[in-house]
Amino acid sequence: MYLDNLRKDDVYVNTAIKRFNLLTGMPNRKGLETADISNGKIVNVVSENYGHLTNQDFFGKAESMLKREGLNYERQSINRDDRSFVVDFIITDTESLTVHQGQDKILPLLRFVNSYDGRERTSGHFGFYREVCSNGLHIAKADIHFSIRHTKNCSKLVLPKLRSLLTTFLKNDYYELSGKFSN
């Protein structure tokens, strides 16, 4: 199958939030009270209001929801220097859509992004995995998504957004949207 070459980076890295002044032995200025540590490296210095959502909690909950719904999928995971992480769940329950005289295959996917360095919001969206010349090309459908800032209560906001995204996905949006690629 063409999904054999998916990236399988480890996204479940060790992570911790520690008081920055205790790590350095120096006073810190307001707004830079805590350090976000990923795999033994400081990847971000943030305020006390920063909400740290671990990959285990975020990606793990997304995966358990897919399993609970009985969806079959292939998982692609990308670790960008222990700072930013992407997990794609490529849904294999459906027949792949083929375009360009059968040369390209398209499957629905759910993409989830989390970062520990603050460069990206915690987010999820529906899109398509398209095999082009043996490379996976991700095609997003941006009106079916969520994006949450890293605040203290972000973990309380993410789960309802995850459920909503999955519910929308399960309402057969794939079939409606996949026709756009046949043209």
Side-chain angles (χ1 to χ4, degrees):
M1 183 175 223
Y2 57 92
L3 296 174
D4 292 338
N5 296 323
L6 295 176
R7 226 169 128 173
K8 302 282 185 185
D9 295 350
D10 180 18
V11 295
Y12 297 116
V13 298
N14 292 324
T15 183
I17 297 290
K18 299 201 176 179
R19 299 292 301 174
F20 194 60
N21 62 346
L22 296 177
L23 292 172
T24 64
M26 299 171 12
N28 53 272
R29 72 174 179 83
K30 185 168 174 53
L32 299 175
E33 295 93 3
T34 56
D36 197 337
I37 300 170
S38 179
N39 251 358
K41 300 174 274 197
I42 296 174
V43 295
N44 202 1
V45 180
V46 295
S47 77
E48 293 175 314
N49 294 327
Y50 176 77
H52 183 71
L53 179 62
T54 67
N55 290 341
Q56 290 84 344
D57 286 339
F58 183 49
F59 299 139
K61 284 189 173 56
E63 191 159 11
S64 68
M65 286 179 178
L66 292 173
K67 286 179 181 177
R68 194 169 42 251
E69 292 297 330
L71 291 173
N72 294 316
Y73 57 86
E74 290 291 327
R75 187 171 153 250
Q76 175 168 252
S77 52
I78 301 167
N79 176 337
R80 296 183 182 121
D81 200 28
D82 298 325
R83 300 174 297 110
S84 177
F85 310 90
V86 176
V87 174
D88 292 334
F89 296 102
I90 303 164
I91 309 302
T92 58
D93 282 344
T94 61
E95 289 294 317
S96 63
L97 177 69
T98 58
V99 294
H100 296 116
Q101 293 81 35
Q103 299 296 326
D104 296 341
K105 297 178 182 102
I106 298 172
L107 288 169
L109 73 74
L110 293 166
R111 171 168 278 191
F112 298 100
V113 177
N114 196 22
S115 72
Y116 294 159
D117 66 357
R119 292 184 188 192
E120 299 181 67
R121 291 177 172 212
T122 300
S123 65
H125 64 263
F126 171 70
F128 296 97
Y129 175 86
R130 182 176 180 190
E131 180 191 61
V132 181
C133 303
S134 300
N135 295 325
L137 172 65
H138 173 253
I139 305 159
K141 181 63 180 158
D143 62 346
I144 305 171
H145 74 287
F146 69 87
S147 178
I148 308 265
R149 288 183 37 222
H150 292 268
T151 60
K152 277 237 188 239
N153 295 325
C154 71
S155 58
K156 292 178 183 172
L157 299 172
V158 167
L159 281 181
K161 296 290 186 180
L162 265 173
R163 283 189 200 99
S164 176
L165 178 70
L166 185 58
T167 300
T168 303
F169 173 76
L170 291 173
K171 289 182 180 173
N172 292 324
D173 287 318
Y174 167 66
Y175 301 108
E176 181 181 316
L177 296 170
S178 63
K180 294 181 181 182
F181 293 103
S182 298
N183 299 336

PDB file of all heavy atoms in Angstrom, residues 64-76:
ATOM      1  N   SER A  64      -7.703   7.889  20.757  1.00  0.00           N
ATOM      2  CA  SER A  64      -8.690   7.054  21.450  1.00  0.00           C
ATOM      3  C   SER A  64     -10.104   7.334  20.940  1.00  0.00           C
ATOM      4  O   SER A  64     -10.926   6.425  20.858  1.00  0.00           O
ATOM      5  CB  SER A  64      -8.595   7.214  22.963  1.00  0.00           C
ATOM      6  OG  SER A  64      -8.997   8.491  23.366  1.00  0.00           O
ATOM      7  N   MET A  65     -10.391   8.586  20.570  1.00  0.00           N
ATOM      8  CA  MET A  65     -11.706   8.907  20.006  1.00  0.00           C
ATOM      9  C   MET A  65     -11.915   8.196  18.656  1.00  0.00           C
ATOM     10  O   MET A  65     -12.999   7.684  18.388  1.00  0.00           O
ATOM     11  CB  MET A  65     -11.863  10.414  19.813  1.00  0.00           C
ATOM     12  CG  MET A  65     -12.080  11.175  21.079  1.00  0.00           C
ATOM     13  SD  MET A  65     -12.220  12.947  20.706  1.00  0.00           S
ATOM     14  CE  MET A  65     -12.518  13.597  22.325  1.00  0.00           C
ATOM     15  N   LEU A  66     -10.879   8.181  17.836  1.00  0.00           N
ATOM     16  CA  LEU A  66     -10.982   7.488  16.542  1.00  0.00           C
ATOM     17  C   LEU A  66     -11.208   5.990  16.749  1.00  0.00           C
ATOM     18  O   LEU A  66     -12.018   5.374  16.055  1.00  0.00           O
ATOM     19  CB  LEU A  66      -9.729   7.727  15.706  1.00  0.00           C
ATOM     20  CG  LEU A  66      -9.516   9.147  15.207  1.00  0.00           C
ATOM     21  CD1 LEU A  66      -8.158   9.278  14.536  1.00  0.00           C
ATOM     22  CD2 LEU A  66     -10.613   9.560  14.249  1.00  0.00           C
ATOM     23  N   LYS A  67     -10.482   5.423  17.693  1.00  0.00           N
ATOM     24  CA  LYS A  67     -10.648   3.995  17.983  1.00  0.00           C
ATOM     25  C   LYS A  67     -12.047   3.711  18.509  1.00  0.00           C
ATOM     26  O   LYS A  67     -12.665   2.713  18.122  1.00  0.00           O
ATOM     27  CB  LYS A  67      -9.600   3.539  19.002  1.00  0.00           C
ATOM     28  CG  LYS A  67      -8.229   3.409  18.418  1.00  0.00           C
ATOM     29  CD  LYS A  67      -7.222   2.971  19.466  1.00  0.00           C
ATOM     30  CE  LYS A  67      -5.840   2.878  18.843  1.00  0.00           C
ATOM     31  NZ  LYS A  67      -4.818   2.532  19.844  1.00  0.00           N
ATOM     32  N   ARG A  68     -12.542   4.580  19.396  1.00  0.00           N
ATOM     33  CA  ARG A  68     -13.893   4.396  19.958  1.00  0.00           C
ATOM     34  C   ARG A  68     -14.945   4.431  18.852  1.00  0.00           C
ATOM     35  O   ARG A  68     -15.954   3.738  18.933  1.00  0.00           O
ATOM     36  CB  ARG A  68     -14.166   5.455  21.020  1.00  0.00           C
ATOM     37  CG  ARG A  68     -15.360   5.160  21.867  1.00  0.00           C
ATOM     38  CD  ARG A  68     -15.522   6.053  23.099  1.00  0.00           C
ATOM     39  NE  ARG A  68     -15.251   7.458  22.912  1.00  0.00           N
ATOM     40  CZ  ARG A  68     -14.186   8.101  23.417  1.00  0.00           C
ATOM     41  NH1 ARG A  68     -13.296   7.452  24.128  1.00  0.00           N
ATOM     42  NH2 ARG A  68     -14.012   9.389  23.206  1.00  0.00           N
ATOM     43  N   GLU A  69     -14.726   5.228  17.822  1.00  0.00           N
ATOM     44  CA  GLU A  69     -15.660   5.301  16.690  1.00  0.00           C
ATOM     45  C   GLU A  69     -15.480   4.132  15.724  1.00  0.00           C
ATOM     46  O   GLU A  69     -16.231   3.998  14.773  1.00  0.00           O
ATOM     47  CB  GLU A  69     -15.484   6.616  15.936  1.00  0.00           C
ATOM     48  CG  GLU A  69     -15.921   7.833  16.715  1.00  0.00           C
ATOM     49  CD  GLU A  69     -17.415   7.833  17.044  1.00  0.00           C
ATOM     50  OE1 GLU A  69     -18.217   7.267  16.269  1.00  0.00           O
ATOM     51  OE2 GLU A  69     -17.781   8.393  18.092  1.00  0.00           O
ATOM     52  N   GLY A  70     -14.456   3.326  15.944  1.00  0.00           N
ATOM     53  CA  GLY A  70     -14.223   2.160  15.094  1.00  0.00           C
ATOM     54  C   GLY A  70     -13.604   2.495  13.743  1.00  0.00           C
ATOM     55  O   GLY A  70     -13.721   1.706  12.805  1.00  0.00           O
ATOM     56  N   LEU A  71     -12.960   3.642  13.639  1.00  0.00           N
ATOM     57  CA  LEU A  71     -12.343   4.031  12.366  1.00  0.00           C
ATOM     58  C   LEU A  71     -10.976   3.367  12.200  1.00  0.00           C
ATOM     59  O   LEU A  71     -10.193   3.294  13.148  1.00  0.00           O
ATOM     60  CB  LEU A  71     -12.163   5.547  12.291  1.00  0.00           C
ATOM     61  CG  LEU A  71     -13.437   6.364  12.181  1.00  0.00           C
ATOM     62  CD1 LEU A  71     -13.122   7.855  12.299  1.00  0.00           C
ATOM     63  CD2 LEU A  71     -14.140   6.084  10.871  1.00  0.00           C
ATOM     64  N   ASN A  72     -10.705   2.884  11.017  1.00  0.00           N
ATOM     65  CA  ASN A  72      -9.382   2.357  10.682  1.00  0.00           C
ATOM     66  C   ASN A  72      -8.564   3.488  10.095  1.00  0.00           C
ATOM     67  O   ASN A  72      -9.075   4.290   9.309  1.00  0.00           O
ATOM     68  CB  ASN A  72      -9.493   1.212   9.686  1.00  0.00           C
ATOM     69  CG  ASN A  72     -10.189   0.009  10.285  1.00  0.00           C
ATOM     70  OD1 ASN A  72      -9.910  -0.378  11.413  1.00  0.00           O
ATOM     71  ND2 ASN A  72     -11.124  -0.560   9.545  1.00  0.00           N
ATOM     72  N   TYR A  73      -7.297   3.542  10.456  1.00  0.00           N
ATOM     73  CA  TYR A  73      -6.446   4.639   9.998  1.00  0.00           C
ATOM     74  C   TYR A  73      -4.993   4.209   9.991  1.00  0.00           C
ATOM     75  O   TYR A  73      -4.612   3.226  10.629  1.00  0.00           O
ATOM     76  CB  TYR A  73      -6.612   5.865  10.905  1.00  0.00           C
ATOM     77  CG  TYR A  73      -6.315   5.586  12.351  1.00  0.00           C
ATOM     78  CD1 TYR A  73      -5.012   5.670  12.849  1.00  0.00           C
ATOM     79  CD2 TYR A  73      -7.323   5.199  13.221  1.00  0.00           C
ATOM     80  CE1 TYR A  73      -4.731   5.378  14.165  1.00  0.00           C
ATOM     81  CE2 TYR A  73      -7.050   4.918  14.543  1.00  0.00           C
ATOM     82  CZ  TYR A  73      -5.758   5.002  15.014  1.00  0.00           C
ATOM     83  OH  TYR A  73      -5.491   4.709  16.310  1.00  0.00           O
ATOM     84  N   GLU A  74      -4.210   4.965   9.267  1.00  0.00           N
ATOM     85  CA  GLU A  74      -2.753   4.896   9.334  1.00  0.00           C
ATOM     86  C   GLU A  74      -2.315   6.196   9.992  1.00  0.00           C
ATOM     87  O   GLU A  74      -2.904   7.243   9.752  1.00  0.00           O
ATOM     88  CB  GLU A  74      -2.133   4.783   7.947  1.00  0.00           C
ATOM     89  CG  GLU A  74      -2.373   3.455   7.270  1.00  0.00           C
ATOM     90  CD  GLU A  74      -1.627   2.307   7.924  1.00  0.00           C
ATOM     91  OE1 GLU A  74      -0.509   2.523   8.452  1.00  0.00           O
ATOM     92  OE2 GLU A  74      -2.169   1.190   7.915  1.00  0.00           O
ATOM     93  N   ARG A  75      -1.266   6.127  10.790  1.00  0.00           N
ATOM     94  CA  ARG A  75      -0.823   7.301  11.549  1.00  0.00           C
ATOM     95  C   ARG A  75       0.524   7.768  11.029  1.00  0.00           C
ATOM     96  O   ARG A  75       1.441   6.982  10.881  1.00  0.00           O
ATOM     97  CB  ARG A  75      -0.715   6.919  13.020  1.00  0.00           C
ATOM     98  CG  ARG A  75      -0.429   8.057  13.927  1.00  0.00           C
ATOM     99  CD  ARG A  75      -0.560   7.581  15.378  1.00  0.00           C
ATOM    100  NE  ARG A  75       0.281   8.393  16.189  1.00  0.00           N
ATOM    101  CZ  ARG A  75       1.389   7.986  16.779  1.00  0.00           C
ATOM    102  NH1 ARG A  75       1.782   6.761  16.661  1.00  0.00           N
ATOM    103  NH2 ARG A  75       2.100   8.810  17.491  1.00  0.00           N
ATOM    104  N   GLN A  76       0.589   9.054  10.743  1.00  0.00           N
ATOM    105  CA  GLN A  76       1.863   9.679  10.411  1.00  0.00           C
ATOM    106  C   GLN A  76       2.169  10.682  11.517  1.00  0.00           C
ATOM    107  O   GLN A  76       1.304  11.458  11.906  1.00  0.00           O
ATOM    108  CB  GLN A  76       1.790  10.403   9.069  1.00  0.00           C
ATOM    109  CG  GLN A  76       3.052  11.161   8.729  1.00  0.00           C
ATOM    110  CD  GLN A  76       3.075  11.633   7.304  1.00  0.00           C
ATOM    111  OE1 GLN A  76       3.807  11.100   6.517  1.00  0.00           O
ATOM    112  NE2 GLN A  76       2.262  12.619   6.957  1.00  0.00           N
TER     113      GLN A  76
END
